[in-house]
Amino acid sequence: MRGDATQSTRAAELAQYVSLTIAIAGLQFGWSVETGFGTPYLLSLGLRKSLVSLVWLAGPLSGLIMQPLVGILSDKSTSRFGRRRPFIVGSTVCTVLCLCVIGWTRQITGGHETLTIWLAVVAFYFMDFAINCLQASLRAIIVDVLPASRQDAGTAWASRMIGVGNVTGYLMGFLDLVHLLPFLGSTHMQVLTTIASTVLGVTVAITCYFTPEKPLVRPPTEANDSLEAFRALFTSLRSLPLVIKRTFRIQLFAWIGWFPFLFYGTTYVADLYVAAHSTDGGSEAETMERGTRAGSLAMFVHALASLASSLILPMFTYSAAVGLPQQQPGPRSLSVLSNIKRVLDGIRARLMVSLPTMWAMSLVIFSLAMLLTLVTSTVFVASMILAICGISWAVAMWVPFSIIGETIRGVASLPYESQMHAAPASGDYVQLSNNDIPMEVIDDHGLGQDADPQPVPPSTEMSAGTILGIHNVFIVIPQFITAFASSLIFAMFEHIQGSGKAGGQHAQQIALVMSLGGLSAAVAAYLSWKLRSQS
């Protein structure tokens, strides 16, 4: 009887994880459409290459502005639909509209070239702002809904959904969508944006329908001072738990390494391909097109490796809220399968590591991979390097959010009078105990939700949305640093060697930028190892 109840609870938890995070898969699919096909589409409209980079400034600008802003506003929202749901629905509608405009820009403007370019650029900018709003809200609702003991599992599922969205998005690049789905549009971009809009709408609807939120009721004595909320954004860093501060510092150095990989990984493989096949006799355009497909294939393998890692690695980690699981000795079973399972569980228990340790290990792998680009000259090896980085990418999309989420929920679960002491003076990675912190109790359906409105405690004024918004600032700042530094490096080589054509020289320049990012990732690995050693 108890076994049936346990199975029922596990099934309910699994259903909650899927419904809570599936919208992230839809969001990532839409994001992959923009990043994977946006540049060729803008060039096809007639936008000059020198101006395309200005369009992609929308990403860091929107992340720097929207995520902290949405975090503060949603934290203080008293909507009867919940704190996050209105922002999720509103940003989804805006994203879908922008995708439709992008797919049918020429038809909307009647073919006027200048107007077509401007409309497409404006649509991309609005979509970046909407996507950042949606991302902030979807990440925050995971922290809101799940107790500290389940934050790690929730963010691991979010990482898996990111992998699903990436794999699906990159797969679209290999399919002749116009031939397969002619009723969705007459161009590849029209079919893509139609599919992306549909997927995003359906996945967000699932998350909103099956994820109950607790409406926030502000105590009568608390004024709704919006100006004070914005001031809190700039002063809140001083009051953050030191675990979160140190996590932000690690992210700063880690993402200085990640952005060169994300910006130039496909181009790096493509340039190596061009260098290896420049004497094959084909035209330069055909060779470059094959090189681009080789780069896209490498990123597709990277996405597959990331998805596989997101499924496997969480089984070998434990969070601070739960602690290292203890294997309970039991009677030997006559069943061969049961004995094999018991042996495998024992091996897994010996291999389990903490979240900071897993993060440090993944950053070491990523750092070494980026340094190897300096001595890589073949497409196959370069593709394998990108694939290996999929392991580290899965961890990057999971572990830091788990640490932040369980820290937020661990502090929020304490009695009000104890929260002021929740951040340790030494900045240790706190071992949160189920005996010390009253965790949210799972109800009969395993959802752990109470629809009754609860007043917001004054001591939890800076909650998930604000903290995750500040966290995103430490991800966005490296993008500006990377863009500025890489531009200087490329300009220096252009001055010395000339602009030249795609090929071996370009690949070496990109490898230099990526290796510098690898050195920054090594610093992040050291800092995350220190975070681990303080547990």
Side-chain angles (χ1 to χ4, degrees):
M1 197 73 173
R2 182 177 298 178
D4 293 340
T6 302
Q7 290 294 333
S8 176
T9 300
R10 288 178 179 174
E13 287 183 355
L14 177 61
Q16 184 187 24
Y17 291 140
V18 173
S19 62
L20 181 61
T21 59
I22 193 171
I24 294 179
L27 171 64
Q28 194 65 29
F29 181 87
W31 181 255
S32 67
V33 169
E34 179 182 5
T35 56
F37 306 99
T39 297
Y41 179 68
L42 289 172
L43 292 174
S44 72
L45 295 180
L47 188 66
R48 297 197 306 271
K49 288 183 179 179
S50 58
L51 297 177
V52 171
S53 59
L54 298 179
V55 176
W56 300 132
L57 282 177
L61 283 174
S62 58
L64 192 63
I65 297 170
M66 286 302 294
Q67 294 217 19
L69 178 63
V70 170
I72 290 177
L73 295 178
S74 62
D75 280 346
K76 291 181 169 292
S77 173
T78 56
S79 169
R80 65 187 179 91
F81 299 106
R83 287 191 293 176
R84 317 298 177 188
R85 189 178 282 108
F87 291 89
I88 291 174
V89 173
S91 56
T92 298
V93 171
C94 185
T95 302
V96 169
L97 289 176
C98 290
L99 283 169
C100 294
V101 170
I102 290 169
W104 278 266
T105 306
R106 281 197 176 97
Q107 287 75 11
I108 293 173
T109 61
H112 189 282
E113 182 175 348
T114 303
L115 187 57
T116 298
I117 293 174
W118 273 104
L119 181 60
V121 169
V122 169
F124 272 116
Y125 261 81
F126 271 95
M127 187 167 76
D128 270 322
F129 276 81
I131 284 177
N132 271 279
C133 176
L134 181 57
Q135 184 183 50
S137 303
L138 291 175
R139 283 290 188 177
I141 201 172
I142 295 175
V143 179
D144 291 344
V145 169
L146 299 178
S149 57
R150 295 171 61 200
Q151 285 294 317
D152 182 39
T155 52
W157 270 97
S159 176
R160 291 162 188 156
M161 291 301 177
I162 289 173
V164 170
N166 276 332
V167 168
T168 309
Y170 286 121
L171 181 62
M172 292 295 109
F174 298 103
L175 301 177
D176 186 356
L177 297 179
V178 177
H179 177 73
L180 294 173
L181 304 169
F183 55 90
L184 295 181
S186 57
T187 67
H188 189 75
M189 197 63 172
Q190 287 179 357
V191 180
L192 265 180
T193 53
T194 302
I195 295 174
S197 299
T198 305
V199 170
L200 180 60
V202 171
T203 55
V204 167
I206 292 173
T207 294
C208 289
Y209 183 79
F210 289 102
T211 304
E213 277 196 273
K214 294 179 180 179
L216 216 60
V217 177
R218 191 175 303 280
T221 56
E222 185 179 349
N224 187 8
D225 187 349
S226 299
L227 183 60
E228 184 62 31
F230 286 104
R231 286 198 205 101
L233 177 63
F234 299 100
T235 59
S236 56
L237 275 172
R238 289 177 294 178
S239 60
L240 284 173
L242 288 180
V243 173
I244 294 182
K245 288 183 181 179
R246 292 172 189 267
T247 301
F248 288 175
R249 189 187 308 169
I250 296 169
Q251 287 286 69
L252 180 67
F253 286 99
W255 280 89
I256 290 176
W258 275 116
F259 276 118
F261 172 85
L262 297 174
F263 284 159
Y264 305 116
T266 302
T267 307
Y268 173 65
V269 175
D271 285 345
L272 287 176
Y273 183 93
V274 171
H277 297 82
S278 57
T279 58
D280 286 357
S283 67
E284 180 183 338
E286 290 174 346
T287 304
M288 193 62 202
E289 183 180 347
R290 291 195 299 269
T292 302
R293 285 203 300 269
S296 298
L297 178 61
M299 290 303 295
F300 176 69
V301 177
H302 158 83
L304 286 176
S306 176
L307 178 58
S309 299
S310 68
L311 293 171
I312 297 171
L313 293 182
M315 295 188 294
F316 294 93
T317 59
Y318 62 90
S319 67
V322 177
L324 183 63
Q326 301 296 324
Q327 188 179 18
Q328 300 296 330
R332 291 184 175 273
S333 172
L334 295 178
S335 170
V336 176
L337 292 178
S338 298
N339 287 327
I340 293 175
K341 181 179 182 301
R342 183 174 57 83
V343 172
L344 293 177
D345 287 343
I347 295 173
R348 183 173 72 90
R350 292 186 180 92
L351 294 177
M352 290 189 77
V353 297
S354 66
L355 289 173
T357 302
M358 180 63 73
W359 198 8
M361 292 166 60
S362 72
L363 285 168
V364 168
I365 293 172
F366 177 61
S367 176
L368 292 175
M370 291 298 94
L371 293 173
L372 282 175
T373 59
L374 286 172
V375 294
T376 300
S377 58
T378 66
V379 172
F380 176 78
V381 175
S383 299
M384 290 302 99
I385 288 175
L386 265 61
I388 290 171
C389 290
I391 300 172
S392 303
W393 180 250
V395 176
M397 295 293 100
W398 151 47
V399 169
F401 293 96
S402 289
I403 294 175
I404 293 171
E406 70 181 23
T407 304
I408 295 172
R409 292 293 288 170
V411 172
S413 297
L414 292 171
Y416 296 168
E417 61 271 14
S418 302
Q419 291 180 18
M420 56 188 298
H421 306 295
S426 61
D428 291 350
Y429 183 66
V430 188
Q431 185 72 18
L432 302 176
S433 168
N434 287 338
N435 297 324
D436 298 331
I437 298 174
M439 297 298 180
E440 188 172 355
V441 179
I442 299 175
D443 62 15
D444 293 337
H445 301 286
L447 299 178
Q449 294 300 312
D450 180 7
D452 295 334
Q454 298 294 331
V456 57
S459 52
T460 56
E461 185 67 30
M462 184 186 61
S463 52
T466 304
I467 293 177
L468 291 174
I470 298 172
H471 172 233
N472 193 68
V473 171
F474 284 84
I475 294 177
V476 168
I477 290 175
Q479 189 167 348
F480 289 104
I481 295 173
T482 299
F484 180 71
S486 59
S487 296
L488 286 179
I489 292 173
F490 292 147
M492 180 184 67
F493 276 105
E494 285 181 2
H495 179 72
I496 296 173
Q497 302 174 348
S499 59
K501 298 178 180 179
Q505 285 188 349
H506 277 196
Q508 292 172 2
Q509 295 168 18
I510 293 174
L512 177 59
V513 173
M514 294 171 75
S515 63
L516 292 176
L519 293 177
S520 182
V523 175
Y526 170 73
L527 294 176
S528 58
W529 185 259
K530 284 183 63 178
L531 187 66
R532 167 260 175 200
S533 66
Q534 294 164 352
S535 59

